[in-house]
Amino acid sequence: MNASQSAPNLASKDRDAGSPAPTWDLAALRERSLVFAAMSEAEIDELMRSARIVEVPARRAVFHTGECGDSLYVILSGKVKVSLLSADGKEAILSLMGAGEVFGEMSLLDGLPRSATVTSLEDCRLMQIGRQDFVQFLKRHADVALKLLAALSQRLRTTNKLVENLSFHHLPSRLARLLLDLGQRHGKAEPNGVEIGLRLSQEELGNLVGASRESVNKQLRAWVDSGVLEYRQGAIVIRKVDVLFRQALAG
Ligand code: CMP
């Protein structure tokens, strides 16, 4: 699969938002999404009527940095990564997003090219809304506009944390902070710890903490050897959250 390729079949796989039997869980979406939580069912229905549903297979770019874009996407199911790519193919991952989260709002709002590349990490179902429809909707629903501003403020806070992490901490601390965050946002509690429900390669973990795959591999192996982490069918399970907390605070 080629993550550097925009999803070419977005249009051919889309269908009317109004068609029956949606396969996403509206209640769960509202629980997880600041924007959706602020909307009544009637408002969500209204938005859905002006949207297209697009399906993106795993590991496809939805769009690339620099492309023109006049629509935003709400993730109905699946997960994506938001990243910057250097000319020589290096990647810096800015964010991982899951169901209920919104991306593509920056170009929609300021009319400038896409500020980052968004790639599906697994099969995704997205709701795509065009500028005209979304702006009209926001004008009619000021409460939703305020929630969107709150979501953007949270995103800025998260980016500040990312910069702090990259600037002020050593790799073990950066990696411990990342794993704790992934556990909190994408984890599933189980008797022996927290399973991180995202299949990220060690290179991608490195791209999230500004380190090479080799350094990440060395640190993860040390934690696996000391029982802090476990790999189960390719997924990381945090067995000793307290040790990671201490490591995160150690700087
Ligand atoms: P847009 O610029 O239209 O396309 C890329 C999208 O990535 C952008 O909108 C945001 O939705 C998202 N994005 C850009 N920068 C960040 C960031 N620092 N953190 C989270 N999401 C981002």
Side-chain angles (χ1 to χ4, degrees):
M1 271 160 303
N2 183 358
S4 66
Q5 201 186 344
S6 284
N9 52 355
L10 283 186
S12 64
K13 285 217 167 190
D14 66 5
R15 63 178 179 76
D16 278 350
S19 61
T23 53
W24 53 90
D25 178 347
L26 195 54
L29 275 180
R30 291 178 76 185
E31 221 169 84
R32 272 181 259 152
S33 164
L34 204 59
V35 178
F36 270 28
M39 293 164 66
S40 66
E41 281 195 20
E43 286 170 338
I44 293 178
D45 272 354
E46 183 188 337
L47 200 57
M48 288 264 184
R49 275 196 296 277
S50 61
R52 289 191 329 158
I53 303 302
V54 289
E55 290 180 17
V56 185
R59 300 278 166 186
R60 288 284 182 86
V62 180
F63 52 69
H64 291 103
T65 308
E67 288 177 6
C68 294
D70 62 356
S71 56
L72 66 67
Y73 297 82
V74 182
I75 304 174
L76 297 173
S77 61
K79 296 189 193 292
V80 303
K81 65 177 174 180
V82 178
S83 49
L84 301 174
L85 300 167
S86 70
D88 57 350
K90 287 196 201 116
E91 178 186 52
I93 300 180
L94 297 171
S95 176
L96 301 170
M97 295 185 189
E101 292 186 88
V102 173
F103 64 87
E105 77 294 337
M106 288 169 63
S107 291
L108 179 138
L109 294 171
D110 66 15
L112 293 173
R114 296 293 189 194
S115 61
T117 295
V118 177
T119 309
S120 56
L121 291 171
E122 46 193 60
D123 290 350
C124 284
R125 186 162 286 126
L126 309 173
M127 184 164 112
Q128 183 185 25
I129 308 164
R131 176 180 287 126
Q132 282 285 344
D133 290 325
F134 194 65
V135 168
Q136 289 308 320
F137 180 85
L138 288 184
K139 283 184 179 165
R140 287 194 299 273
H141 302 283
D143 49 338
V144 178
L146 282 173
K147 289 291 174 188
L148 181 65
L149 285 177
L152 296 184
S153 301
Q154 271 190 8
R155 192 164 287 173
L156 196 51
R157 284 177 194 278
T158 308
T159 302
N160 289 356
K161 265 200 187 156
L162 182 78
V163 173
E164 179 200 324
N165 207 17
L166 291 176
S167 311
F168 303 142
H169 301 288
H170 296 298
L171 177 61
S173 171
R174 300 207 296 270
L175 202 49
R177 283 161 193 264
L178 172 69
L179 294 176
L180 290 169
D181 184 54
L182 292 180
Q184 203 179 20
R185 296 185 61 220
H186 303 278
K188 196 173 68 190
E190 52 158 78
N192 290 328
V194 179
E195 178 176 333
I196 296 176
L198 266 177
R199 302 294 160 105
L200 294 170
S201 66
Q202 291 190 353
E203 187 168 2
E204 284 173 319
L205 290 174
N207 295 344
L208 278 156
V209 294
S212 68
R213 190 195 65 76
E214 291 74 15
S215 326
V216 166
N217 176 272
K218 199 169 147 205
Q219 182 59 60
L220 290 179
R221 242 183 313 124
W223 280 333
V224 169
D225 290 347
S226 57
V228 175
L229 300 180
E230 182 190 328
Y231 268 99
R232 200 175 303 150
Q233 289 157 357
I236 295 179
V237 180
I238 304 175
R239 301 279 310 267
K240 295 181 182 166
V241 173
D242 54 325
V243 175
L244 282 191
F245 262 119
R246 278 200 296 279
Q247 184 65 75
L249 294 175

